[in-house]
Amino acid sequence: MDFAMDFVRGLHNLRARHRGCVLTIGAFDGVHRGHQEMIRVLRERAREHSVPAVVMSFEPTPREFFAKGQPPARLTRFRERFEALAAYGVDRFICVRFNQQFRSMTQQSFVEQVLVQDLGVRHVVVGHDFRYGSDQGTAATLRAAGSMLGFGVTEVSPFELEGERVSSSLIREALDRGDMQRAAKFLGRPYRITGKVIAGQRLGRELGFPTANLRLHRRATPVGGIFAVRVSGGGLANAPGVASLGTRPAVNGKELLLEAHVFDFSGDLYRQYVHVDFIERQRDELWFASIDELVVQMHKDAARARDILAGR
């Protein structure tokens, strides 16, 4: 990953050089407009203290750890979250393994061991609903601890757009309905999936629609169907295309796969990392009685996607 942002995987990898920072803590799924406001305040406080702006996040996310059944589909996988945090100017990303040992830390041990001893925090930026420790510390208890241990706390109010509080669940609902414009408004950018292009069955090429195939490496996805997209990476920059995300019932597929056809492109993207930005949802996946019917629909989908993207 070719980014300037420093990365630390696990608290056990923290070293003396990592001490002294302004820190924020959270899942940061989606790195949406609310998260971006947190990062803006984080960077502002870091400049005031002349120390790095640091994000601490988790794998798995706390919601996934505590989920009894199927957790909600993630908006962003690890790489996508990493790239977004780097793009918004975070200096260091600390990824903590969220397990039973970490979960059982009390608020006092988390503050004294992690924040003070390991990180030497100068200031902590948290959301209004921030909780920490097995005994459920809050922004107020963190501020009280900071007053005794030498760090400050900024509590950031909920971020609202047009009267709605921006949240990962709100974006997930928009994506589930296929409302890509609403999702993009709350994300501050189009919804994106990133991955390495893998070898496919080459059926698309035989049908006149060669595709870049991305395995999603996730149990569930918040979106599905046929989309007008823009593709970047592998030498492409916002290239227009049409994509299918799902299990491909038209060819009796089973595996969750993203297939993106880039218009007027004949290059090879195999093994390249690409970003697929979802601009507009066109329809559900469908089963077709014959390959000929499938090809007719593919041409219709491509033509509509070209029209959609011509104005965006």
Side-chain angles (χ1 to χ4, degrees):
M1 299 176 183
D2 209 10
F3 294 90
M5 183 174 69
D6 188 21
F7 176 54
V8 180
R9 186 184 287 278
L11 296 175
H12 62 283
N13 282 318
L14 289 170
R15 299 293 181 263
R17 68 178 182 275
H18 299 129
R19 286 179 52 79
C21 67
V22 172
L23 180 74
T24 190
I25 307 164
F28 285 88
D29 186 25
V31 195
H32 53 59
R33 293 285 297 276
H35 296 141
Q36 291 161 38
E37 174 63 11
M38 294 281 290
I39 293 169
R40 185 194 67 77
V41 175
L42 175 79
R43 293 180 65 195
E44 191 175 86
R45 297 294 179 271
R47 283 193 298 271
E48 292 169 0
H49 289 277
S50 299
V51 292
V54 179
V55 167
M56 178 184 290
S57 195
F58 309 99
E59 284 291 333
T61 66
R63 179 173 287 195
E64 288 170 337
F65 180 84
F66 290 114
K68 301 301 182 185
Q70 183 84 346
R74 278 200 197 193
L75 296 175
T76 44
R77 288 180 59 235
F78 177 81
R79 184 186 179 95
E80 294 153 349
R81 183 172 34 157
F82 183 103
E83 293 178 350
L85 290 172
Y88 291 119
V90 172
D91 296 313
R92 182 176 300 132
F93 175 27
I94 301 171
C95 185
V96 176
R97 179 76 177 168
F98 198 94
N99 53 23
Q100 188 60 40
Q101 180 182 355
F102 183 83
R103 182 246 175 178
S104 60
M105 289 185 79
T106 64
Q107 54 181 295
Q108 181 179 352
S109 60
F110 177 73
V111 169
E112 293 179 354
Q113 294 175 29
V114 179
L115 299 189
V116 176
Q117 183 177 313
D118 294 343
L119 289 171
V121 294
R122 304 284 293 278
H123 201 91
V124 184
V125 177
V126 298
H128 76 288
D129 55 355
F130 176 69
R131 297 291 183 273
Y132 67 102
S134 57
D135 47 347
Q136 292 288 291
T138 65
T141 63
L142 186 64
R143 186 177 292 109
S147 67
M148 292 187 293
L149 296 170
F151 62 86
V153 174
T154 295
E155 183 178 346
V156 179
S157 299
F159 186 81
E160 294 188 353
L161 279 177
E162 299 172 9
E164 293 183 283
R165 181 193 165 201
V166 177
S167 67
S168 298
S169 58
L170 199 66
I171 295 165
R172 208 174 281 114
E173 290 169 8
L175 293 173
D176 185 59
R177 294 197 304 270
D179 192 342
M180 309 312 291
Q181 289 76 23
R182 180 173 167 82
K185 179 179 76 171
F186 294 132
L187 283 166
R189 63 191 185 281
Y191 181 69
R192 166 177 285 190
I193 287 180
T194 296
K196 183 184 285 188
V197 177
I198 62 171
Q201 297 176 333
R202 305 184 72 84
L203 178 61
R205 186 173 297 276
E206 293 173 14
L207 300 178
F209 288 87
T211 58
N213 303 319
L214 280 67
R215 188 173 288 128
L216 298 187
H217 298 290
R218 58 180 89 193
R219 287 184 291 172
T221 175
V223 291
I226 310 301
F227 299 84
V229 299
R230 291 196 176 275
V231 181
S232 300
L236 299 171
N238 293 317
V242 63
S244 167
L245 196 164
T247 56
R248 301 169 298 151
V251 293
N252 299 313
K254 303 294 183 187
E255 182 184 20
L256 196 61
L257 198 68
L258 172 59
E259 299 176 294
H261 169 67
V262 182
F263 299 141
D264 310 315
F265 174 72
S266 57
D268 185 7
L269 295 173
Y270 178 59
R271 298 186 68 83
Q272 299 285 323
Y273 270 101
V274 299
H275 313 288
V276 180
D277 290 337
F278 293 75
I279 308 303
E280 186 169 308
R281 190 178 190 277
Q282 295 180 209
R283 63 173 177 85
D284 292 335
E285 283 193 296
L286 300 171
W287 179 84
F288 294 92
S290 70
I291 291 295
D292 288 343
E293 288 183 27
L294 170 61
V295 171
V296 168
Q297 185 61 53
M298 289 168 73
H299 280 284
K300 290 180 181 178
D301 294 335
R304 186 176 172 207
R306 283 184 185 271
D307 288 343
I308 291 167
L309 296 169
R312 302 188 194 178

